[in-house]
Amino acid sequence: QVADLGCGDVCLLSILKYQKCIEELVGVDINEGRLKWNGLSPCVGDHLDPRELDLAITLYHGSVLEKDCRLLGFDLAACIELIEHFDSEDLAKFPEVVFGYMSPAMIVISTPNSEFNSLFPCAVFRDSDHKFEWSRMQFQTWALDVASRYNYSVEFTGVGEPPTGAEDVGYCTQIGVFRKKAEAAEMAVLEHHGEHVYEVVYTTSYPSLQQINYRRRVVIYLVYREVSRLRRKYQVSLRQDELEAEFIASGNQTGKFTSDLPVPVLTEDDKAMEMAPQPFCIEDKFYVPLQRIIAYPRLGHLCGNVEKLREFLGDMIELNCDGSAVKVDLNDCSDF
Amino acid sequence: MLPSQFSIFRPQTSVHSPLFSAVSVSFIRSHKKLSFGSRCTFYIIVVSSITSMKYEMLWCFLHILDAGGISSSDPGCTSEERGGKVRRDVMDLSVCTREKLTHVRDCKTGSSGIPVKLVTNLFNLDVPQDWQLYQYHVTYSPDIESRRLRIALLYSHRELSNKAKAFDGVILFLSQKLEEKVTELSSETQRGKTIKMTITLTRELPASSPVCIQVFNIIFKKILKKLSMYQIGRNFYKPSEPVEIPQHKLSLWPGFAISVSHFESKLLLSADVSYKILRNETVLEFMTDLCRKSSVSCFTQTCEKQLIGLIVLTRYNNKTYRIDDIDWSVKPTHTFRKRDGAEITYVDYYKQQYDITLSDLNQPVLVSLLKNKKNDNSEAQMAHLIPELCFLTGMPGQATSDFQLMKAVAKETRLDPLVRQQHLARLADDFQRNKDARFELETWGLHFGCQMSLTGRIAPAEKIIMQDHICHPASAADWSKDIRTCKVLSARSLNKWLVICSNRAESVTENFLNCLRRVGNPMGFNVMCILPSIQTSYYDSIKKYLSSDCPVPSQCVRAQTLNKQGMMLSVTTKIAMQMICKLGGELWAVEIPLKSLMVVGINVCKDAFSQGTMVVGFVASINPRITRQVILFLLTSNPAGALNRWYRNNHGLPARIIVYRDGVGDGQLQTLVDYEVPQLLSSVTEASSKTSPTLSVIVVRKKGMPRFLAETGRNLQNPPLGTVVDSEATRPKWQMACRGTVNPTYYNVIYDDNGLKPDHMQRLTFKLCHLYYNWMGLISIPAPCQYARKLTFLVAQSLHKEPSLELANSLFYL
């Protein structure tokens, strides 16, 4: 769960949405007009190739200085170039809300480094709305104080290397990474019954493999692919047998028919697939045992066991009479 | 028996096509009368494979017009009414021709025929009587460039926040009038700057104005998005309820095409079910499949052949690219320079940027040339794409010939009337139930009403006139059974002919010839032919050779078609009929009460190779029965040439000419009225010295939104053939009739000095739909129009050049 406090034009969120480990993304900004969500909704590719985990994205219109229980207990809160927009009163309120109330496991705060400003042609604030710009000393003092008050540890870093000759001014933007201390994490009692102060501006959820219809769909496509791959392999081997037979019949005793294809190196997974029951053919039907299909790592991961696989296949793919193998025509005309 | 080399058969012609040198024709059979050197009057060609067998016949007439020419030119579609462009189809709405047609000024509906109750896909959109749209112009001081910021500033203003509005950065539409004509507002940017906004009322628009209709369309777009539909192109789809065809790796998204427009007297929303076909296959998967199928040695070539030119969709950012090349030397582990100058490998880039781990590190990269937006001469930018992350789009290459696939897709997308109706009902329900949708409509003061039904009329069935028989077909859709034993109107005997086919096809060809004689006799003509059986790739060469070097009518038959045992008789009948047409014979006729009437079909379409060139097909009837057609050249000289032929055939000029004009694009209607009609008129007057024929011009359109369903009791069906709709669902300014098949056809009479009653015009058009000789049944557009369409299509798709005029008198292009 990641929250971007003061998300502005949702630039950070549209990068974060690609991260596979994130399940919930929240953006909060006080300026509703700037919230743009065009890049946030799922696109065609997200439907065709769904994510592993669910992802819900919500944009709220509201102030970071107000408490909203929907932002409780996040894993990460990012306040990128946010605090310098606060006047002293708001700045005093800020730690109480973010560290004390929301209390995420990790907080990332960035703010301009005023020492770096000496490298800019005009020595004023970088944005007319900035109420202050801190030196490294000022920021670190504030950060350490906040961290100790709310039981966080803090590390400092930054982005924007200074040019050679001016190394001593530090990064262009300074960053503090706060982590909640273990004992504090245990102590924390989440009060989920709070007020909903923020106004929901936009919400979307992504298709994912956690949703049964999408998982089923992916399984069916993979099974089709795997079955037709095995079938083609089988057809090739049949043809090679024929060639070999011809070869021997033609009186050439010198040896076996050899294929030009390089011998692939078998991985662990390949070996597991070799161990599983092999596909077979009865008359013009080709059968692939479900055991063989489940040995295919990705399908094994998606289905877990044969029963689940059978359930997924349902009436979309024909099985043999005892339901232990997928049954297809050996010679499907669409192949040729 | 002839010698086995084709070149011996025609030694005097220099044959440079690969066809004749490569194919040894080992089985040639001919009629007794054939002698060497004599000119054959007919060929039949048996082709053994389908791929290049796009059309059954070879030649064609064509005329290539520059894109800047008469009817293809883009009308300058800038409109001062609005900042942006007015959509082209909206422009057509303002074209008004009815006032000039005195006989239909008061009433444009017909009255004959049996009334039928029809349900439409149109929904009433009610607006209050005095509803008006207020158009404002917004200026900022100091001026702001960013459209985003302009919109944000205006929208955040309290004065406007609870009003229904549409704003593109310059022009603001409101459904309620602001108190002042000029409103001054001021807003503060985040940086504390004060911006003054001046909102000035520029226009008040009634609900029927084209601009309003555009705004309505924008509103409905918004609503559909709120119903979590996904926009692709102009249509909206529901990704949440896909139909899967896993065996062909296809997903179908159901959706709707929706548009608001102004019909006879009211505003209507038309909605039609549409499906988006998506492919569940990445380029990498496609390549591995291909690799397994083909041998290693020619893999790269086959791969390039199949992939280059295709459009792919990237997994991560939903952009489409055209594959221009494949770079086999670049691997994902290679580095490239990012925009900021840093070197990074593709693997790392996709991991960092999109958290995607590439599974195959040996895949090549796809190369796509990016469009040069600035239009300067700088080098075109290239994009490298990873096959694993690109989805294929469009239908698979072999799809059209893959019967199984087409069947599977058709099964899902061809909806029977009842299901179609259910889809529409659900959409209407969504509009009314969804909170957001209803809110949006209410703030604009719109009311989404009920589905419209109306009364159409079924035109009486037509009789089919054969040589010595008049038959009443059981069904107008297909009368092949009814006329099998009847003699065709007129046919020419064919005495010199040749058949060419391969050894393998020998027995089927013999069989076919016997059959042809059998069906030929009762129809009253003798068949003679040549059939060479050729390799697929030679088909194009044969076509060119025969069209330019020796213009001889010929018939191609696929050997596979002749193999179908049970179908032999009907297949042969159809082939025989086509051959009669190609020789200038006539098959059947319908009763046309108007004497001395010439019907002209014109179609225009773009050449498939060179987008700039237009192909114009012109087909005119040259006898009063409209059973014989002629094709001619230049559009301008066309009527004159056709009139000459008519004169020669009938010893006089036709009294009336009716032109059916097809292939009119969106927004071209005005150009048509302004330029093409006068041009036609002047050439008609030029050609005739004393009394010039009267002229009518009718625009034919097959693509259109309204659909009709016939209500029979509780059930819904497609309307019967020949259903005419000329009220309510039609445009107010046009005289219009719709012919109800599954997809109705629209007829818009834009010029008429024949003074035909609507009834007569409708009946005549319906009769003409019976006269297409390639199909023993009713077709959806008048026959001359269909002939022209077939002609232009053939030229645009495969010939790209002018064929010989010697064939102009017969329907050689069938």
Side-chain angles (χ1 to χ4, degrees), chain B residues 297-314:
Chain B
S297 56
C298 59
F299 168 63
T300 50
Q301 281 102 309
T302 13
C303 203
E304 280 171 10
K305 200 173 158 195
Q306 301 239 10
L307 283 174
I308 287 176
L310 294 186
I311 306 292
V312 293
L313 174 81
T314 50

PDB file of all heavy atoms in Angstrom, chain B residues 297-314:
ATOM      1  N   SER B 297      16.372 -22.501 -41.479  1.00  0.00           N
ATOM      2  CA  SER B 297      17.122 -21.727 -42.469  1.00  0.00           C
ATOM      3  C   SER B 297      16.353 -20.520 -42.982  1.00  0.00           C
ATOM      4  O   SER B 297      16.906 -19.438 -43.126  1.00  0.00           O
ATOM      5  CB  SER B 297      17.509 -22.631 -43.634  1.00  0.00           C
ATOM      6  OG  SER B 297      16.348 -23.219 -44.166  1.00  0.00           O
ATOM      7  N   CYS B 298      15.076 -20.689 -43.249  1.00  0.00           N
ATOM      8  CA  CYS B 298      14.349 -19.565 -43.823  1.00  0.00           C
ATOM      9  C   CYS B 298      13.489 -18.858 -42.780  1.00  0.00           C
ATOM     10  O   CYS B 298      12.601 -18.094 -43.122  1.00  0.00           O
ATOM     11  CB  CYS B 298      13.496 -20.030 -44.997  1.00  0.00           C
ATOM     12  SG  CYS B 298      12.308 -21.274 -44.541  1.00  0.00           S
ATOM     13  N   PHE B 299      13.786 -19.126 -41.505  1.00  0.00           N
ATOM     14  CA  PHE B 299      12.953 -18.550 -40.450  1.00  0.00           C
ATOM     15  C   PHE B 299      12.934 -17.024 -40.484  1.00  0.00           C
ATOM     16  O   PHE B 299      11.886 -16.406 -40.419  1.00  0.00           O
ATOM     17  CB  PHE B 299      13.412 -19.051 -39.088  1.00  0.00           C
ATOM     18  CG  PHE B 299      12.812 -18.307 -37.948  1.00  0.00           C
ATOM     19  CD1 PHE B 299      11.440 -18.351 -37.748  1.00  0.00           C
ATOM     20  CD2 PHE B 299      13.587 -17.536 -37.099  1.00  0.00           C
ATOM     21  CE1 PHE B 299      10.862 -17.657 -36.703  1.00  0.00           C
ATOM     22  CE2 PHE B 299      13.016 -16.830 -36.063  1.00  0.00           C
ATOM     23  CZ  PHE B 299      11.654 -16.890 -35.863  1.00  0.00           C
ATOM     24  N   THR B 300      14.143 -16.428 -40.620  1.00  0.00           N
ATOM     25  CA  THR B 300      14.170 -14.963 -40.570  1.00  0.00           C
ATOM     26  C   THR B 300      13.373 -14.341 -41.705  1.00  0.00           C
ATOM     27  O   THR B 300      12.642 -13.377 -41.498  1.00  0.00           O
ATOM     28  CB  THR B 300      15.613 -14.431 -40.608  1.00  0.00           C
ATOM     29  OG1 THR B 300      16.287 -15.055 -41.693  1.00  0.00           O
ATOM     30  CG2 THR B 300      16.350 -14.708 -39.323  1.00  0.00           C
ATOM     31  N   GLN B 301      13.485 -14.950 -42.895  1.00  0.00           N
ATOM     32  CA  GLN B 301      12.745 -14.383 -44.023  1.00  0.00           C
ATOM     33  C   GLN B 301      11.236 -14.499 -43.822  1.00  0.00           C
ATOM     34  O   GLN B 301      10.502 -13.528 -43.984  1.00  0.00           O
ATOM     35  CB  GLN B 301      13.104 -15.075 -45.348  1.00  0.00           C
ATOM     36  CG  GLN B 301      14.405 -14.620 -45.944  1.00  0.00           C
ATOM     37  CD  GLN B 301      15.504 -15.641 -45.689  1.00  0.00           C
ATOM     38  OE1 GLN B 301      15.689 -16.053 -44.533  1.00  0.00           O
ATOM     39  NE2 GLN B 301      16.189 -16.063 -46.720  1.00  0.00           N
ATOM     40  N   THR B 302      10.808 -15.709 -43.450  1.00  0.00           N
ATOM     41  CA  THR B 302       9.362 -15.884 -43.244  1.00  0.00           C
ATOM     42  C   THR B 302       8.871 -14.941 -42.162  1.00  0.00           C
ATOM     43  O   THR B 302       7.789 -14.368 -42.270  1.00  0.00           O
ATOM     44  CB  THR B 302       8.999 -17.316 -42.787  1.00  0.00           C
ATOM     45  OG1 THR B 302      10.170 -17.992 -42.413  1.00  0.00           O
ATOM     46  CG2 THR B 302       8.266 -18.067 -43.865  1.00  0.00           C
ATOM     47  N   CYS B 303       9.678 -14.814 -41.148  1.00  0.00           N
ATOM     48  CA  CYS B 303       9.294 -13.983 -40.025  1.00  0.00           C
ATOM     49  C   CYS B 303       9.129 -12.535 -40.491  1.00  0.00           C
ATOM     50  O   CYS B 303       8.131 -11.884 -40.175  1.00  0.00           O
ATOM     51  CB  CYS B 303      10.382 -14.059 -38.974  1.00  0.00           C
ATOM     52  SG  CYS B 303       9.808 -13.669 -37.362  1.00  0.00           S
ATOM     53  N   GLU B 304      10.085 -12.053 -41.252  1.00  0.00           N
ATOM     54  CA  GLU B 304      10.005 -10.674 -41.737  1.00  0.00           C
ATOM     55  C   GLU B 304       8.825 -10.506 -42.677  1.00  0.00           C
ATOM     56  O   GLU B 304       8.087  -9.538 -42.612  1.00  0.00           O
ATOM     57  CB  GLU B 304      11.306 -10.290 -42.449  1.00  0.00           C
ATOM     58  CG  GLU B 304      12.392  -9.921 -41.460  1.00  0.00           C
ATOM     59  CD  GLU B 304      13.746  -9.743 -42.098  1.00  0.00           C
ATOM     60  OE1 GLU B 304      13.822  -9.723 -43.341  1.00  0.00           O
ATOM     61  OE2 GLU B 304      14.725  -9.645 -41.348  1.00  0.00           O
ATOM     62  N   LYS B 305       8.626 -11.515 -43.509  1.00  0.00           N
ATOM     63  CA  LYS B 305       7.529 -11.443 -44.467  1.00  0.00           C
ATOM     64  C   LYS B 305       6.186 -11.328 -43.754  1.00  0.00           C
ATOM     65  O   LYS B 305       5.313 -10.570 -44.158  1.00  0.00           O
ATOM     66  CB  LYS B 305       7.560 -12.700 -45.333  1.00  0.00           C
ATOM     67  CG  LYS B 305       6.817 -12.544 -46.648  1.00  0.00           C
ATOM     68  CD  LYS B 305       7.033 -13.761 -47.512  1.00  0.00           C
ATOM     69  CE  LYS B 305       5.944 -13.919 -48.547  1.00  0.00           C
ATOM     70  NZ  LYS B 305       5.950 -15.244 -49.140  1.00  0.00           N
ATOM     71  N   GLN B 306       6.066 -12.098 -42.675  1.00  0.00           N
ATOM     72  CA  GLN B 306       4.776 -12.117 -41.981  1.00  0.00           C
ATOM     73  C   GLN B 306       4.574 -10.914 -41.072  1.00  0.00           C
ATOM     74  O   GLN B 306       3.458 -10.495 -40.844  1.00  0.00           O
ATOM     75  CB  GLN B 306       4.683 -13.386 -41.131  1.00  0.00           C
ATOM     76  CG  GLN B 306       4.814 -14.636 -41.945  1.00  0.00           C
ATOM     77  CD  GLN B 306       3.593 -15.510 -41.792  1.00  0.00           C
ATOM     78  OE1 GLN B 306       2.593 -15.094 -41.231  1.00  0.00           O
ATOM     79  NE2 GLN B 306       3.673 -16.715 -42.279  1.00  0.00           N
ATOM     80  N   LEU B 307       5.665 -10.398 -40.520  1.00  0.00           N
ATOM     81  CA  LEU B 307       5.499  -9.384 -39.477  1.00  0.00           C
ATOM     82  C   LEU B 307       5.596  -7.948 -39.968  1.00  0.00           C
ATOM     83  O   LEU B 307       4.903  -7.076 -39.453  1.00  0.00           O
ATOM     84  CB  LEU B 307       6.540  -9.592 -38.376  1.00  0.00           C
ATOM     85  CG  LEU B 307       6.251 -10.740 -37.415  1.00  0.00           C
ATOM     86  CD1 LEU B 307       7.414 -10.933 -36.468  1.00  0.00           C
ATOM     87  CD2 LEU B 307       4.986 -10.472 -36.625  1.00  0.00           C
ATOM     88  N   ILE B 308       6.448  -7.716 -40.938  1.00  0.00           N
ATOM     89  CA  ILE B 308       6.667  -6.319 -41.329  1.00  0.00           C
ATOM     90  C   ILE B 308       5.388  -5.729 -41.906  1.00  0.00           C
ATOM     91  O   ILE B 308       4.717  -6.339 -42.727  1.00  0.00           O
ATOM     92  CB  ILE B 308       7.857  -6.209 -42.307  1.00  0.00           C
ATOM     93  CG1 ILE B 308       9.136  -6.439 -41.510  1.00  0.00           C
ATOM     94  CG2 ILE B 308       7.897  -4.841 -42.983  1.00  0.00           C
ATOM     95  CD1 ILE B 308      10.396  -6.461 -42.309  1.00  0.00           C
ATOM     96  N   GLY B 309       5.081  -4.558 -41.419  1.00  0.00           N
ATOM     97  CA  GLY B 309       3.845  -3.916 -41.857  1.00  0.00           C
ATOM     98  C   GLY B 309       2.711  -4.062 -40.870  1.00  0.00           C
ATOM     99  O   GLY B 309       1.725  -3.350 -40.955  1.00  0.00           O
ATOM    100  N   LEU B 310       2.858  -4.991 -39.928  1.00  0.00           N
ATOM    101  CA  LEU B 310       1.781  -5.172 -38.961  1.00  0.00           C
ATOM    102  C   LEU B 310       1.826  -4.079 -37.893  1.00  0.00           C
ATOM    103  O   LEU B 310       2.858  -3.481 -37.643  1.00  0.00           O
ATOM    104  CB  LEU B 310       1.912  -6.539 -38.274  1.00  0.00           C
ATOM    105  CG  LEU B 310       1.724  -7.774 -39.134  1.00  0.00           C
ATOM    106  CD1 LEU B 310       1.745  -9.012 -38.265  1.00  0.00           C
ATOM    107  CD2 LEU B 310       0.400  -7.703 -39.875  1.00  0.00           C
ATOM    108  N   ILE B 311       0.681  -3.873 -37.297  1.00  0.00           N
ATOM    109  CA  ILE B 311       0.599  -2.897 -36.221  1.00  0.00           C
ATOM    110  C   ILE B 311       0.616  -3.663 -34.899  1.00  0.00           C
ATOM    111  O   ILE B 311      -0.089  -4.655 -34.741  1.00  0.00           O
ATOM    112  CB  ILE B 311      -0.718  -2.095 -36.320  1.00  0.00           C
ATOM    113  CG1 ILE B 311      -0.881  -1.456 -37.700  1.00  0.00           C
ATOM    114  CG2 ILE B 311      -0.785  -1.050 -35.222  1.00  0.00           C
ATOM    115  CD1 ILE B 311       0.085  -0.366 -38.019  1.00  0.00           C
ATOM    116  N   VAL B 312       1.456  -3.222 -33.992  1.00  0.00           N
ATOM    117  CA  VAL B 312       1.506  -3.890 -32.693  1.00  0.00           C
ATOM    118  C   VAL B 312       1.124  -2.911 -31.593  1.00  0.00           C
ATOM    119  O   VAL B 312       1.224  -1.700 -31.756  1.00  0.00           O
ATOM    120  CB  VAL B 312       2.900  -4.483 -32.401  1.00  0.00           C
ATOM    121  CG1 VAL B 312       3.214  -5.611 -33.343  1.00  0.00           C
ATOM    122  CG2 VAL B 312       3.966  -3.408 -32.433  1.00  0.00           C
ATOM    123  N   LEU B 313       0.700  -3.477 -30.500  1.00  0.00           N
ATOM    124  CA  LEU B 313       0.265  -2.691 -29.345  1.00  0.00           C
ATOM    125  C   LEU B 313       1.197  -3.038 -28.198  1.00  0.00           C
ATOM    126  O   LEU B 313       1.379  -4.217 -27.881  1.00  0.00           O
ATOM    127  CB  LEU B 313      -1.169  -3.086 -28.992  1.00  0.00           C
ATOM    128  CG  LEU B 313      -1.764  -2.481 -27.744  1.00  0.00           C
ATOM    129  CD1 LEU B 313      -2.255  -1.088 -28.041  1.00  0.00           C
ATOM    130  CD2 LEU B 313      -2.909  -3.331 -27.240  1.00  0.00           C
ATOM    131  N   THR B 314       1.806  -2.034 -27.574  1.00  0.00           N
ATOM    132  CA  THR B 314       2.724  -2.359 -26.488  1.00  0.00           C
ATOM    133  C   THR B 314       1.965  -2.668 -25.205  1.00  0.00           C
ATOM    134  O   THR B 314       0.932  -2.078 -24.926  1.00  0.00           O
ATOM    135  CB  THR B 314       3.698  -1.207 -26.230  1.00  0.00           C
ATOM    136  OG1 THR B 314       2.960  -0.002 -26.110  1.00  0.00           O
ATOM    137  CG2 THR B 314       4.694  -1.085 -27.364  1.00  0.00           C
TER     138      THR B 314
END
